[in-house]
Amino acid sequence: MTTQSTQSLLINGFGVLFVILNSFGLGLRLSVGKLLGEAFAHWKIAVWALVINFVIIPLLFIGYLLTIASSIPDEIKVGFCVAALCAGMPFAPILARLAKADVSIATTLLVVLTAGTIIALPIGLPLAIDAVDAQLKTSAWDVAWPLLLFLLLPLVLGCAFRVGWPDLTPELAPWVLRVGILCLLFNVNFTLVAYWSLFVQEWGTGSYIAAIAGPFIGLGCGYLLVSSLRVKEVRIRHAAEATTAVRNIAPMLLMMIFPFGSDPLVTVSITILNTVGIVIVLVFVLLWRRAAPDAQATTSAPASEPAHGEPTPLHP
């Protein structure tokens, strides 16, 4: 086995493991009844989040690629198209807690947007790639089957495990989360080592400037969401903005591993987008945390199981 094939195996293996563990861990933390209650209580936010993340943001991304960033390579454009349709950042509840925002809203939006991604990505990605005139092609089924097998199935199994073995869930869930994050770190590090020359090569193409634009588009659309609905509660505003700002790395990893596994520039573009996006949003989260009064900190997540496993009441 060559060095390149070994590196690809490690990158893909740790990427798939992260997606499986992240989805399974999310299922372990979810209380379906509380999630549905939270979604119905804030149905306007959930509906508008779907519209913004699967209509407005993809159109803005495609418009940006056709105008300002028209000169970047086709494979990079494909990575941006993937990002445009992958909503629901896996770490949104963690960022919401760090920002002293409403963790329950972040968790609810995460699940709603992840479900939306499983439906929208297979339908929209082939159309988005055609719209930006990229030479790469894919089919709806090539996009759908990894999402169903590695994203949806572990999520369902996690929910089933929580129902079947409730006593084991509080101890297992944190470990699943930690190992999943470790797998993601390995994936990113092996990607940087394997494709470092491509990361350097793309420095002069405008790809990094486009990556910086991505999270600001998300933050702007998140602000549009809460402002159009006249949401006054700062904790809810920041939870919605953080969830919308960064795209969902789990389906993005599946796309770079399966439909576009032979196109390393797609992997490079997705890695650049996620890394830059998380750093930028983390800066905003820390600023929100600094500005938030201690009394406004939300430490419970009604849509998910709290760290100590005890239920918490729903917020109206």
Side-chain angles (χ1 to χ4, degrees):
M1 185 178 290
T2 64
T3 302
Q4 184 175 3
S5 60
T6 302
Q7 290 174 333
S8 297
L9 181 62
L10 291 171
I11 292 171
N12 296 344
F14 281 116
V16 171
L17 278 175
F18 164 74
V19 176
I20 293 173
L21 291 172
N22 178 73
S23 299
F24 184 73
L26 179 60
L28 291 177
R29 301 192 303 273
L30 285 181
S31 173
V32 177
K34 293 177 181 177
L35 173 68
L36 292 175
E38 193 73 23
F40 280 115
H42 300 282
W43 67 271
K44 289 184 179 180
I45 294 179
V47 170
W48 276 104
L50 289 170
V51 173
I52 285 177
N53 278 277
F54 296 113
V55 178
I56 296 178
I57 288 181
L59 289 177
L60 289 174
F61 265 69
I62 291 172
Y64 184 83
L65 293 174
L66 290 175
T67 54
I68 300 174
S70 60
S71 62
I72 64 178
D74 286 344
E75 293 87 346
I76 300 292
K77 290 180 180 178
V78 169
F80 277 75
C81 289
V82 172
L85 290 162
C86 291
M89 183 190 180
F91 307 124
I94 297 176
L95 290 180
R97 190 180 299 276
L98 183 61
K100 298 183 180 179
D102 194 313
V103 182
S104 64
I105 291 294
T107 305
T108 301
L109 290 178
L110 164 60
V111 177
V112 170
L113 294 176
T114 299
T117 297
I118 295 174
I119 298 171
L121 188 59
I123 298 172
L125 184 57
L127 300 175
I129 292 175
D130 289 340
V132 299
D133 294 324
Q135 299 301 313
L136 301 180
K137 302 296 179 183
T138 189
S139 68
W141 176 245
D142 290 337
V143 175
W145 76 260
L147 299 175
L148 298 174
L149 182 60
F150 299 114
L151 189 62
L152 181 60
L153 180 59
L155 179 62
V156 173
L157 292 176
C159 292
F161 187 96
R162 185 181 186 277
V163 173
W165 293 276
D167 295 337
L168 298 177
T169 301
E171 297 180 2
L172 180 62
W175 285 102
V176 172
L177 177 63
R178 291 166 190 159
V179 175
I181 293 176
L182 185 63
C183 289
L184 178 61
L185 292 175
F186 277 125
N187 169 269
V188 172
N189 279 280
F190 282 122
T191 300
L192 289 173
V193 171
Y195 301 122
W196 180 252
S197 60
L198 293 178
F199 282 100
V200 176
Q201 176 184 320
E202 292 308 309
W203 181 258
T205 65
S207 301
Y208 286 88
I209 296 176
I212 293 173
F216 282 103
I217 290 174
L219 284 167
C221 288
Y223 178 81
L224 174 65
L225 166 65
V226 294
S227 297
S228 61
L229 294 177
R230 298 180 180 178
V231 177
K232 301 298 183 182
E233 176 60 55
V234 175
R235 295 178 298 115
I236 296 178
R237 293 178 66 93
H238 288 167
E241 289 167 346
T243 308
T244 303
V246 184
R247 314 314 287 161
N248 193 336
I249 189 173
M252 292 168 71
L253 285 173
L254 293 177
M255 294 304 100
M256 81 179 199
I257 292 171
F258 293 103
F260 305 108
S262 60
D263 301 289
L265 278 181
V266 176
T267 299
V268 169
S269 66
I270 288 175
T271 305
I272 293 173
L273 259 171
N274 279 302
T275 305
V276 173
I278 290 175
V279 170
I280 290 176
V281 173
L282 185 60
V283 171
F284 278 87
V285 165
L286 293 176
L287 291 175
W288 293 338
R289 178 183 178 85
R290 185 175 181 180
D294 291 337
Q296 287 189 343
T298 299
T299 58
S300 62
S304 62
E305 191 70 19
H308 51 71
E310 296 179 1
T312 55
L314 286 174
H315 293 290

